[in-house]
Amino acid sequence: MTPEIHGSVAEGYEAVRDEFAAVVAAERPDYAGQLSAYVQGRRVVDLWAGAETDGETLFGVFSSTKGAAHLVVALLVQDGTLELDREVARYWPEFAAEGKSAITLRELLAHRAGVVGSDAGFTDDELADDRAVAERLAGQRPFWRPGTAFGYHALVIGALTGEVVRRATGRTLQEVYEERIRAPYELDFFLGLPEAEEPRFRSVQPLVPTAEQQAVLDARPTGPHTLTSIAFNEHVPEPGTLEGFANSRTVRAKGQASAGGVASARGLAGMYTAAISRVGGRAPLLKPDAIAEVGQVHSIGFDLVMRAHKAYGLGFQATAENWYPFLGAGAFGHSGAGGTQAFADPRSGLAYGYTRRRMSFPGGAAPENERLVRAVHMAALA
């Protein structure tokens, strides 16, 4: 039985509801997910479907967490607290070990530092703790000559940039996020989920691949010592699963800044609209120069970790280049391994958030986002 569609859309966005209904109808009967969008600070789409799900339900959003983490960095750069072209080691002296002294904050944010993981890997407890990860990686030799190439720092980028934030401000990245972004806007997007909010969280469900999808998964190159394995901590004796990571209360409580965030679609879209649009009488969090800087492509081409063509801005994915070429130049955001997608398109004023409970294939933004984003974008332009 197809789940019922709940929620509302603004006038002119009826086609988005129809598209969401079509997506849900094509999914497994146990589908659960949410879709939210704002245009120029006004919520125009607020939809959800599935058992145990409403507009306030919280899901693990995996790497969409990086968007929240790096909005903090963008604010600190805008304030003058951080400088993009200053060496990371000027803030964090221990990071200079093993040939890393010249790496700048800009290079780190653009996934060019080459410090994608640890030779020995991390325990589950270490991986949940950004401070522990940063301490280990300070002495790690880069896996390529910094600045010559790029590769996705999948599970560690938030720990690395978070340590820069801590050294520069005396506050953790999570504390700055809570004080300057989440709490003032009352966003349902947490880097550190309070115990009191746990009843709203729904555990991530694993991928159930079709026979064709399983064949694709089986054909992927594997090996415990590949750069991809190291970046995803799969080279340890007993690697965990991505869904197990998101379902860990320890990970949620600490708000691991690379992939440990918890949010609703409202929270995802709400954060991005606050970044680029006037909300509740407040000016956008980011000024035009900062919006242009974070959305500008800094790394594009062959990603050494993902073994595919990718594009990154500063801490964010370059959304149009990675996913949806019909969006405006400079769109920025971040997808998540479970299928989550979230971004801002400053040229149209669109902010978008999508969540789903069951892991999608093949990881990253779920395929249905293409048709949902297109429908919302067309309505926004109309």
Side-chain angles (χ1 to χ4, degrees), residues 3 18 31 46 87 103 121 123 145 151 201 220 303 326 377:
D18 294 342
Y31 171 87
D46 185 38
E87 294 84 358
I103 297 172
T123 67
R145 187 174 180 82
F201 175 75
R220 287 181 171 181
D303 182 313
F326 50 83
H377 187 246

Side-chain angles (χ1 to χ4, degrees), residues 39-316:
V39 174
Q40 306 295 350
R42 179 175 73 101
R43 191 161 70 193
V44 294
V45 177
D46 185 38
L47 300 171
W48 63 88
E52 300 184 294
T53 299
D54 60 25
E56 297 184 347
T57 301
L58 301 173
F59 297 102
V61 295
F62 296 95
S63 286
S64 289
T65 306
K66 294 178 176 70
H70 294 122
L71 182 54
V72 169
V73 176
L75 285 175
L76 294 174
V77 169
Q78 180 173 268
D79 294 345
T81 303
L82 296 176
E83 297 177 24
L84 288 170
D85 295 312
R86 192 176 188 183
E87 294 84 358
V88 171
R90 295 284 297 276
Y91 301 103
W92 176 13
E94 297 89 336
F95 187 76
E98 297 292 340
K100 301 195 299 299
S101 62
I103 297 172
T104 64
L105 179 58
R106 185 187 299 275
E107 289 174 318
L108 178 61
L109 288 165
H111 296 272
R112 305 187 73 84
V115 194
V116 296
S118 163
D119 285 320
F122 302 101
T123 67
D124 289 347
D125 287 343
E126 286 174 331
L127 199 58
D129 186 337
D130 283 339
R131 290 286 303 281
V133 171
E135 184 176 349
R136 290 279 303 283
L137 292 182
Q140 174 66 44
R141 184 179 182 85
F143 288 91
W144 60 84
R145 187 174 180 82
T148 62
F150 72 95
Y152 188 39
H153 290 52
L155 296 178
V156 303
I157 189 69
L160 294 169
T161 53
E163 188 63 14
V164 174
V165 169
R166 191 180 73 84
R167 297 296 181 106
T169 68
R171 308 283 285 168
T172 67
L173 184 152
Q174 289 84 352
E175 288 170 339
V176 178
Y177 172 74
E178 178 67 21
E179 293 167 6
R180 296 193 60 178
I181 301 171
R182 198 211 66 78
Y185 291 89
E186 299 181 329
L187 298 173
D188 279 343
F189 188 173
F190 296 89
L191 299 191
L193 185 66
E195 183 71 38
E197 303 292 346
E198 274 290 320
R200 297 167 60 194
F201 175 75
R202 299 292 177 264
S203 60
V204 176
Q205 297 172 330
L207 171 69
V208 180
T210 64
E212 292 79 9
Q213 291 170 345
Q214 188 61 54
V216 173
L217 294 172
D218 291 342
R220 287 181 171 181
T222 59
H225 307 301
T226 66
L227 204 54
T228 305
S229 293
I230 292 167
F232 284 90
N233 205 49
E234 295 172 346
H235 61 312
V236 297
E238 295 183 6
T241 63
L242 283 172
E243 61 267 24
F245 180 83
N247 289 336
S248 163
R249 170 59 191 159
T250 300
V251 170
R252 294 196 300 279
K254 288 182 177 292
Q256 200 257 27
S258 297
V262 174
S264 66
R266 289 175 181 170
L268 294 169
M271 187 194 77
Y272 280 102
T273 204
I276 66 167
S277 300
R278 179 172 290 275
V279 177
R282 296 185 178 93
L285 285 168
L286 298 181
K287 297 175 182 177
D289 284 352
I291 290 172
E293 186 94 67
V294 300
Q296 187 177 49
V297 174
H298 279 65
S299 297
I300 189 166
F302 186 75
D303 182 313
L304 295 180
V305 169
M306 301 305 288
R307 313 303 300 175
H309 182 90
K310 297 292 179 182
Y312 300 97
L314 290 180
F316 298 91

Side-chain angles (χ1 to χ4, degrees), residues 272-273 275-276 319 327 330-333 342-347 350-352:
Y272 280 102
T273 204
I276 66 167
T319 307
L327 291 180
F332 65 95
F343 64 84
D345 180 8
R347 293 178 186 272
L350 170 63
Y352 175 95

